[in-house]
Amino acid sequence: MTDATPSGSTPASPASPDYDDMTRDIADVPAVEVITTVAVHLLSAAAVNLGLDKPDSEHKDLDEARKLITALAGLVTASATEISSFHAAPLRDGLKSLQLAFREASLVQDEPGQGPGEKFTGPVYA
């Protein structure tokens, strides 16, 4: 015999927080931490899609990388004044590195100012 929970019911476990606990936890997280965490996820995902995770990566997808870099550029540009230069500067550096890596990985070069995220950041040069 198994100790299974009957169908349609959920076990009451102190390890699984309820909705009020989860929303209270989210409310306690400062906005700057949420923004930087999302930015780091976008940075990481774009890097993997650029094939920067390892040589001869099977995850290389420049179309996906373009979308992620553009989203990151929008987030960093829009939030820079809200999160201070202390937090925004490293994100801008990472973004620029991704934009340059994208340009290097592309077989067909975008015109200056037309690369991923450049409508938010302006043209990126090496």
Side-chain angles (χ1 to χ4, degrees):
M1 287 218 174
T2 64
D3 196 20
T5 304
S7 178
S9 66
T10 58
S13 167
S16 60
D18 66 3
Y19 180 76
D20 290 336
D21 289 338
M22 291 188 314
T23 55
R24 187 170 33 257
D25 290 344
I26 291 168
D28 292 338
V29 179
V32 66
E33 189 174 329
V34 174
I35 293 166
T36 55
T37 300
V38 170
V40 169
H41 284 290
L42 289 168
L43 278 162
S44 299
V48 169
N49 280 288
L50 284 171
L52 301 177
D53 58 331
K54 58 185 177 183
D56 300 324
S57 175
E58 67 272 5
H59 301 292
K60 193 170 184 176
D61 186 337
L62 295 183
D63 184 51
E64 290 293 304
R66 178 183 292 275
K67 293 171 188 171
L68 292 163
I69 294 168
T70 300
L72 175 63
L75 176 64
V76 171
T77 302
S79 65
T81 59
E82 302 296 328
I83 63 174
S84 80
S85 292
F86 178 78
H87 296 285
L91 295 176
R92 281 192 199 110
D93 291 343
L95 171 59
K96 182 176 180 181
S97 295
L98 288 173
Q99 288 171 313
L100 291 172
F102 184 91
R103 187 173 298 280
E104 190 175 302
S106 296
L107 297 176
V108 178
Q109 297 295 308
D110 292 318
E111 293 294 321
Q114 301 301 310
E118 291 182 5
K119 66 181 174 184
F120 299 111
T121 64
V124 175
Y125 302 102

